[in-house]
Amino acid sequence: SESSGTSVGEAGSTDTFTVVLNSKPTGNVVFNVTSGDTGEATVSPSALTFTTGNWNSAQTVTVTGVNDSIDDGNVNSTTTIAINTGSTADSIYDSVSSQTVAVTTADDDTAGFTIAQSSGSTSVSEAGSTDTFTVVLNTEPTGNVVFALTDNDTDNTEISYSPTTLTFNAGNWNTAQTITVTGVDDSIDDDNVTSTITVSINTGSTADSVYDSVSSQTLSVTTVDDDNSNAITITHSGGNTVVNEAGYGRYAQDWTK
């Protein structure tokens, strides 16, 4: 007997159903209770024993949801209640067919990824300083997930970064990978420049189709300018500049001879 079906959540919620005999046995009747997918739901107890004294008292089986880190949607499995013929004393019950209970485990995972910038922002200077950000998956993939990194600095005069591709799998999905951004020097007084780096799924190289539909994300990078068009540099030949009214140049110190 189920109360409106049997449904649990990955967060560990529970649901119950009951089992009771239809007739009084002449000896013990033992059932095995097994989950068809212990990665989604577990059952307790794993065995039920009815006797001539309790045969008409329903016994409760508790189903508990099992958490995973995969975006696999709601999963349906079955719990089987079957006579344990080796432990059952009433031979009439040996031929009783098994019964199953359908169990739905509600998923609580959503495929995605998280970008974290050091100090909450990314900034470099034309002098070649560096800054970093990290990328990590939000759920465990069923195959490789590959990212491509691109930017809008088309002439490569503001930033460079490494690596330009990232690969996650079931073994490293929750370990953040670091991208290092380096400022690129130019000789133009162009003030501080903001560039955009886009992190997107490479669907052609990604094996987990759930991640194919995950949206790209962008982050801004500021490159601090180190050029000043309001300044000029004056260099003296010989360390100073001396002229004479006669129109001679820097050898004026000899004209008194």
Side-chain angles (χ1 to χ4, degrees):
S1 176
E2 301 175 79
S3 59
S4 304
T6 301
S7 179
V8 293
E10 286 190 349
S13 64
T14 63
D15 202 351
T16 61
F17 63 88
T18 62
V19 180
V20 66
L21 297 191
N22 295 343
S23 63
K24 182 177 180 178
T26 59
N28 286 356
V29 176
V30 180
F31 290 94
N32 291 329
V33 185
T34 56
S35 169
D37 188 349
T38 55
E40 294 292 337
T42 60
V43 293
S44 179
S46 59
L48 303 173
T49 300
F50 291 90
T51 67
T52 56
N54 73 349
W55 67 273
N56 57 350
S57 297
Q59 297 190 38
T60 300
V61 176
T62 300
V63 182
T64 304
V66 176
N67 193 32
D68 61 30
S69 302
I70 303 171
D71 181 1
D72 51 3
N74 296 344
V75 176
N76 296 321
S77 60
T78 57
T79 294
T80 302
I81 302 94
I83 299 290
N84 182 331
T85 56
S87 300
T88 293
D90 187 339
S91 60
I92 293 178
Y93 269 90
D94 287 346
S95 60
V96 171
S97 299
S98 302
Q99 294 189 45
T100 59
V101 172
V103 178
T104 299
T105 304
D107 193 24
D108 64 357
D109 301 293
T110 302
F113 64 98
T114 299
I115 295 175
Q117 297 170 275
S118 58
S119 303
S121 62
T122 303
S123 179
V124 294
S125 72
E126 289 189 350
S129 68
T130 62
D131 202 349
T132 61
F133 65 92
T134 62
V135 177
V136 68
L137 297 191
N138 296 342
T139 61
E140 180 181 348
T142 58
N144 285 354
V145 175
V146 181
F147 289 93
L149 280 69
T150 57
D151 63 82
N152 66 345
D153 181 23
T154 55
D155 52 2
N156 300 317
T157 59
E158 297 296 334
I159 58 171
S160 65
Y161 47 90
S162 179
T164 57
T165 62
L166 304 172
T167 300
F168 292 90
N169 54 45
N172 72 349
W173 68 273
N174 56 351
T175 301
Q177 298 190 37
T178 300
I179 296 89
T180 300
V181 184
T182 304
V184 175
D185 193 24
D186 61 29
S187 300
I188 304 171
D189 182 6
D190 53 2
D191 295 324
N192 298 345
V193 175
T194 300
S195 307
T196 300
I197 295 177
T198 300
V199 184
S200 56
I201 301 291
N202 182 334
T203 56
S205 300
T206 292
D208 187 342
S209 59
V210 174
Y211 269 88
D212 287 345
S213 59
V214 171
S215 300
S216 302
Q217 295 187 46
T218 61
L219 71 153
S220 297
V221 180
T222 300
T223 304
V224 179
D225 192 26
D226 63 357
D227 300 295
N228 185 0
S229 62
N230 294 322
I232 60 174
T233 300
I234 298 176
T235 303
H236 296 270
S237 58
N240 59 10
T241 301
V242 179
V243 295
N244 185 273
E245 287 184 353
Y248 293 99
R250 63 190 181 96
Y251 297 105
Q253 65 271 26
D254 297 329
W255 298 338
T256 57
K257 296 181 182 180

